[in-house]
Amino acid sequence: MWCWIGDFNAVCGVEEKRGRRGIHIEENVEVREFNSFLDSLKCIELPLVGKHFTWFSPWGDAVSRLDRCFVSVQWLNKWPNQAQYVLNMSLSYHCPLMINNGVQNWGPQLFRVMNGWFSQKQFLFLLASFLQNFQVQG
C-alpha cells in the first residue's frame, strides 16, 4: 500500500500545459514516456478537486499541471473516497495539494526545513519579515 505525492515536472497530456510555448516534439516523447512509466507501476491518480493547474509561471504567461497524487490499488481499497485538493499558492509557484476524503483526520502536519537555509545570511531576516506579515484564517 503506497501513496506518491510530488512535483513530477511532467504533464500527462497537451491539455495540462498552456502558455508561452506549446508542447514540442521532445515534450510529446516525455509525455508518452511519463504515461508509460505510470502505467507500468499501475498508478491510480486520485480525482482532482479545485484548480486544474498546479504550477504558474512567475511572469503569469504559462501554467501546467505538474503536481499530482498517485496511489496503489490497496490504498484506494482502504480509503476509497479520497481526492486531491488543489489549494491556493503562497510561498511557491506551485499550489500545494491536500489529500482528503472528508472523513479521515491525518493529524497535525510535521514541520520540515532544509538545514542549508540556516547558513544563508538573509534567511532569519526573511523569515522574520514573512512571519510579521503572515495572516492565518480559519
Side-chain angles (χ1 to χ4, degrees):
M1 181 174 7
W2 51 264
C3 175
W4 192 17
I5 304 170
D7 170 9
F8 291 88
N9 268 349
V11 295
C12 289
V14 294
E15 70 282 353
E16 294 184 347
K17 186 174 187 175
R18 292 194 188 138
R20 63 184 112 105
R21 59 186 182 104
I23 296 222
H24 298 286
I25 292 170
E26 61 273 3
E27 289 172 314
N28 281 328
V29 171
E30 180 181 292
V31 168
R32 282 194 303 274
E33 288 177 354
F34 184 52
N35 287 326
S36 175
F37 171 71
L38 296 173
D39 288 342
S40 71
L41 293 176
K42 309 247 186 297
C43 292
I44 300 168
E45 186 168 12
L46 293 178
L48 187 68
V49 177
K51 298 174 182 64
H52 181 70
F53 300 106
T54 62
W55 175 85
F56 296 81
S57 81
W59 304 277
D61 60 348
V63 294
S64 295
R65 171 110 190 274
L66 302 178
D67 307 275
R68 303 172 178 279
C69 177
F70 297 103
V71 297
S72 64
V73 172
Q74 296 85 357
W75 181 283
L76 202 54
N77 287 338
K78 185 160 181 151
W79 296 291
N81 299 319
Q82 290 189 329
Q84 52 183 324
Y85 293 78
V86 181
L87 305 177
N88 292 328
M89 283 187 314
S90 61
L91 299 176
S92 169
Y93 297 120
H94 293 264
C95 295
L97 297 178
M98 179 179 72
I99 309 309
N100 194 338
N101 68 358
V103 177
Q104 288 295 124
N105 180 358
W106 295 96
Q109 287 185 330
L110 299 175
F111 174 77
R112 296 185 181 178
V113 67
M114 293 175 61
N115 288 338
W117 283 107
F118 296 112
S119 66
Q120 300 296 316
K121 292 178 182 179
Q122 294 295 320
F123 175 72
L124 292 178
F125 172 76
L126 182 64
L127 180 62
S129 66
F130 170 75
L131 291 175
Q132 287 174 350
N133 297 320
F134 188 72
Q135 295 180 357
V136 177
Q137 297 177 356

